[in-house]
Amino acid sequence: MTLKILVVDDNPICRQVLTELLAERNWQTVEAENGIQALHQLDVQAFDAVITGFYMPVVDGPHFVRMLKENNTYADVSVIMLSTQEQKVVESELDFDYLSLYLRKPLNCDTKRQLIDHLSSLVVATDGKAA
């Protein structure tokens, strides 16, 4: 199964690295620079997962995730947050129950593997629902 993933980050290089990594698995990606653009994309099309940064202009990651999860239409979308901040800083800004995974930037081989493994588990879970 092909996943459709929304990649939200104000850093174009980060978006490009993630898009290329996900494309290696033939997963589709759509990019957004901030939470407002991301919410618009979610209104236009369905996604299996969202990967978002923490610090972004207009609407940052924590606010975007809260808006996403508090909307019944998107509440079940898996959200992965990437941040340069330590986990305790992110936890002080956001309820971690909203996240399916938190990873620290910069992405290295280990964190890339964790991301791919986590997204691959979504494929298995989604395929299991269809059976």
Side-chain angles (χ1 to χ4, degrees):
M1 179 188 152
T2 296
L3 288 179
K4 191 167 190 180
I5 303 164
L6 179 58
V7 177
V8 188
D9 200 296
D10 64 322
N11 183 321
I13 294 171
C14 184
R15 290 193 314 268
Q16 179 183 358
V17 167
L18 287 167
T19 298
E20 289 173 1
L21 178 67
L22 301 171
E24 291 173 8
R25 273 106 188 131
N26 294 319
W27 294 336
Q28 298 176 354
T29 58
V30 173
E31 297 180 18
E33 294 180 20
N34 59 58
I36 294 295
Q37 289 181 1
L39 289 169
H40 173 72
Q41 288 297 329
L42 285 156
D43 283 341
V44 174
Q45 54 194 315
F47 292 93
D48 300 299
V50 173
I51 301 172
T52 185
F54 186 80
Y55 291 116
M56 295 182 291
V58 185
V59 172
D60 66 9
H63 288 94
F64 162 63
V65 172
R66 274 193 293 281
M67 287 188 282
L68 177 84
K69 289 300 187 173
E70 291 172 1
N71 183 321
N72 290 335
T73 305
Y74 316 124
D76 292 334
V77 175
S78 181
V79 178
I80 299 163
M81 180 167 278
L82 307 176
S83 178
T84 57
Q85 295 297 317
E86 292 183 19
Q87 183 169 333
K88 66 182 177 181
V89 173
V90 177
E91 286 176 328
S92 72
E93 298 287 326
L94 179 67
D95 182 349
F96 253 52
D97 288 341
Y98 287 159
L99 303 178
S100 63
L101 181 66
Y102 166 79
L103 293 172
R104 189 103 188 257
K105 289 179 184 179
L107 295 179
N108 57 33
C109 291
D110 185 50
T111 53
K112 287 178 182 178
R113 180 190 49 74
Q114 288 176 43
L115 176 63
I116 294 301
D117 287 350
H118 182 75
L119 290 169
S120 296
S121 71
L122 293 178
V123 172
V124 172
T126 304
D127 284 349
K129 289 180 186 176

